[in-house]
């Protein structure tokens, strides 16, 4: 009887942990991980299960299951307690990721495997974020549907027959589907904001120059910028935004002052 009750308790705890993981935003997941309520490895396992369940959305071009699990286990072993410890993210596939193919959504670049992370991604990893994989996008980030002829169209989790918006549609769909709580997109003329709106998540387009731009496949030197995307407004406006600052590869420091989400009014005055 005791053995049965112990097994039931274990199963219930796992079920509750899984439910929490996919109803929580990135800030809550980081807090739970630092409190010892969930390990980074458990978060990766759950993310991979969700990615399999929602594979038909075509949100990812590359799932880096082995790399994500290795990073999570290393963080757990080291007793990592960074601001983003335990937060699993998806990264748009036009942002360089060391050792993982970065295609920019075009066949011409599908075999490019960068040696270094883009600085904006390196900053998030340093804060403890774990990359689950590279997300699908409109080819070369030049469009607003994410209907990619080479890698397939990205479906909208609310209605897979509808498009996810673009060009950061894969990141938006992965977040809305509960695969990851947050991720990185890029925005030149709406590529974070459009898919965020169409998928019911939060997206932030910063001013050009707020984040380092090295390692991001360019469209416009005067308009391109990386942008955080997440389940709730407090995620891109808080830890994700502050975590993207730092020196780029030329040594130029891009200052990104802390921006407390508590100071932001949600919505408009009536």
């Amino acid at each position: 009887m005791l053995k049965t009750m112990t097994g039931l308790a274990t199963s219930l705890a796992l079920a509750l942990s899984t439910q929490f993981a996919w109803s929580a935003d990135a800030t809550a997941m980081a807090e739970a991980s630092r409190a010892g309520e969930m390990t980074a490895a458990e978060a990766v396992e759950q993310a991979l299960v969700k990615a399999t369940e929602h594979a038909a959305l075509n949100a990812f071009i590359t799932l880096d299951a082995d790399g994500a699990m290795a990073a999570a286990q290393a963080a757990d072993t080291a007793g990592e307690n960074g601001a983003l410890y335990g937060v699993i993210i998806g990264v748009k596939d036009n942002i360089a990721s060391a050792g993982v193919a970065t295609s920019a959504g075009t066949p011409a670049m599908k075999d490019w495997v960068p040696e270094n992370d883009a600085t904006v991604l390196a900053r998030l990893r340093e804060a403890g974020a774990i990359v689950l994989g590279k997300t699908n996008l409109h080819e070369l980030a030049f469009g607003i549907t994410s209907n990619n002829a080479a890698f397939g169209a990205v479906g909208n989790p609310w209605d897979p027959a509808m498009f996810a918006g673009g060009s950061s549609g894969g990141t938006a769909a992965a977040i809305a589907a509960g695969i990851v709580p947050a991720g990185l997109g890029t925005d030149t003329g709406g590529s974070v904001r459009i898919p965020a709106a169409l998928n019911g998540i939060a997206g932030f387009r910063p001013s050009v120059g707020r984040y380092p731009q090295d390692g991001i496949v360019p469209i416009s030197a005067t308009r391109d910028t990386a942008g955080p995307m997440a389940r709730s407004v407090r995620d891109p406006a808080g830890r994700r935004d502050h975590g993207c600052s730092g020196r780029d590869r030329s040594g130029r420091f891009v200052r990104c002052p802390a921006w407390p989400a508590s100071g932001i009014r949600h919505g408009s005055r009536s």
Side-chain angles (χ1 to χ4, degrees):
M1 180 66 175
L2 180 60
K3 184 175 181 180
T4 301
M5 292 299 293
T6 300
L8 178 61
T10 301
S11 298
L12 180 61
L14 178 60
L16 290 173
S17 175
T18 301
Q19 179 62 33
F20 169 77
W22 308 122
S23 63
D25 61 16
T27 300
M29 288 188 72
E31 291 170 349
S33 296
R34 290 198 304 275
E37 298 169 11
M38 176 186 296
T39 67
E42 289 170 342
V44 169
E45 288 176 357
Q46 294 170 17
L48 290 171
V49 169
K50 296 293 285 188
T52 299
E53 290 176 356
H54 294 288
L57 290 175
N58 206 28
F60 287 87
I61 290 177
T62 302
L63 267 176
D64 185 21
D66 291 341
M69 185 56 70
Q73 291 172 342
D76 290 338
T77 300
E80 176 64 63
N81 62 356
L84 301 183
Y85 168 52
V87 175
I88 315 302
I89 63 172
V91 178
K92 189 175 179 179
D93 204 29
N94 63 341
I95 300 174
S97 50
V100 178
T102 300
S103 71
T106 183
M109 296 181 63
K110 66 182 178 63
D111 296 323
W112 179 44
V113 180
E115 295 182 1
N116 300 298
D117 285 333
T119 298
V120 70
L121 174 55
R123 294 292 169 265
L124 295 181
R125 289 201 211 251
E126 288 168 6
I130 295 168
V131 178
L132 187 70
K134 305 301 294 295
T135 55
N136 204 350
L137 65 153
H138 205 105
E139 187 169 1
L140 289 170
F142 202 72
I144 61 170
T145 65
S146 295
N147 290 341
N148 189 306
F151 296 99
V154 180
N156 190 309
W158 299 100
D159 183 348
M162 302 297 177
F163 68 91
S167 62
S168 306
T171 300
I175 294 167
I179 300 171
V180 294
L184 275 179
T186 62
D187 193 309
T188 303
S191 288
V192 162
R193 294 161 287 170
I194 292 169
L198 294 185
N199 288 272
I201 65 167
F204 173 56
R205 179 205 156 82
S207 301
V208 173
R210 185 174 179 85
Y211 301 161
Q213 282 301 109
D214 63 288
I216 299 177
V217 178
I219 297 178
S220 167
T222 60
R223 291 288 303 163
D224 292 348
T225 179
M229 306 172 76
R231 252 179 232 145
S232 70
V233 171
R234 68 174 177 169
D235 286 332
R239 287 192 175 98
R240 254 57 56 202
D241 177 69
H242 189 50
C244 290
S245 64
R247 295 188 184 276
D248 62 21
R249 300 206 185 287
S250 69
R252 183 175 66 95
F253 185 78
V254 180
R255 184 170 298 281
C256 181
W259 183 13
S262 60
I264 299 172
R265 187 183 74 249
H266 297 187
S268 59
R269 296 185 186 279
S270 58

